[in-house]
Amino acid sequence: MTDEQSAQNTPAEQTDRSCPLEELSFAVTGYISKTPHETYEAVADPEQLSHYFTTGGAQGRLEAGAEVTWDFADFPGRFPVEVVENIQDEKIVIRWEGSDDSVDKDTTTTFEFAPVDDGARTLVTITEKSWKLTEGGAQGAFGNCMGWTGMLSALKVWIEHGINLREGYYK
């Protein structure tokens, strides 16, 4: 395949290296050997989320318009999370107060649940954006990327095997 043919098969934004970078963002993905419904519920349901992710507990179901709270042993203190959008078994969008290193006043995270293998498995994609192109922004983005990668791994082990991967991990 020639470079020209390759460029024709690639979205323009991926081939145009001259576009200025305006903010830091990332995506993490993983396959879960459960249906999109089961996987979605493991994220949306505060009881399940408290078993494998929020080491200090989650309060409130992730439904559009809701404000829920999460608590973590490694980041003590409850903090509010706003649910911006949810589409049953497909997508959840959340946001919470950003920092001085955020482009916007809030940090936005999106969970997408795509069926794989005729719906027997789920591809989970977690994306986050809103980080400034600064050292602090990079630290925030990389730290959150690490956190969401850990969450996705813990989700997989919890939903497939009933094991809380985070138990004792942070304290």
Side-chain angles (χ1 to χ4, degrees):
M1 178 182 297
T2 68
D3 286 347
E4 182 177 275
Q5 289 170 321
S6 178
Q8 290 174 354
N9 294 326
T10 306
E13 62 272 8
Q14 289 179 356
T15 60
D16 184 1
R17 305 266 186 232
S18 65
C19 292
L21 186 61
E22 295 178 7
E23 70 180 2
L24 297 173
S25 61
F26 60 84
V28 295
T29 61
Y31 291 92
I32 308 293
S33 294
K34 295 290 181 175
T35 67
H37 177 72
E38 292 169 296
T39 307
Y40 173 94
E41 284 299 318
V43 176
D45 177 19
E47 185 176 334
Q48 288 193 64
L49 200 62
S50 295
H51 281 290
Y52 70 89
F53 180 54
T54 57
T55 51
Q59 294 185 352
R61 184 172 172 80
L62 298 181
E63 295 178 340
E67 183 174 290
V68 303
T69 58
W70 291 350
D71 195 0
F72 298 90
D74 54 319
F75 191 75
R78 291 198 174 277
F79 69 93
V81 176
E82 177 188 358
V83 184
V84 178
E85 176 185 3
N86 77 331
I87 301 170
Q88 180 72 41
D89 303 341
E90 294 179 19
K91 182 180 187 179
I92 300 171
V93 180
I94 61 172
R95 70 175 160 223
W96 64 89
E97 185 178 344
S99 71
D100 291 341
D101 297 307
S102 300
V103 172
D104 297 319
K105 70 178 185 101
D106 296 317
T107 298
T108 301
T109 305
T110 302
F111 299 83
E112 295 177 287
F113 308 91
V116 179
D117 297 336
D118 294 323
R121 296 189 318 142
T122 305
L123 173 62
V124 179
T125 302
I126 304 171
T127 57
E128 187 172 281
K129 63 179 186 172
S130 192
W131 297 98
K132 290 181 181 175
L133 296 172
T134 62
E135 183 177 338
Q139 288 174 352
F142 294 150
N144 282 11
C145 184
M146 179 179 72
W148 290 123
T149 300
M151 183 269 195
L152 190 54
S153 297
L155 167 63
K156 181 174 180 62
V157 173
W158 168 254
I159 196 171
E160 291 181 13
H161 305 286
I163 298 169
N164 181 348
L165 191 61
R166 293 175 60 108
E167 182 68 36
Y169 194 83
Y170 291 102
K171 61 178 182 174

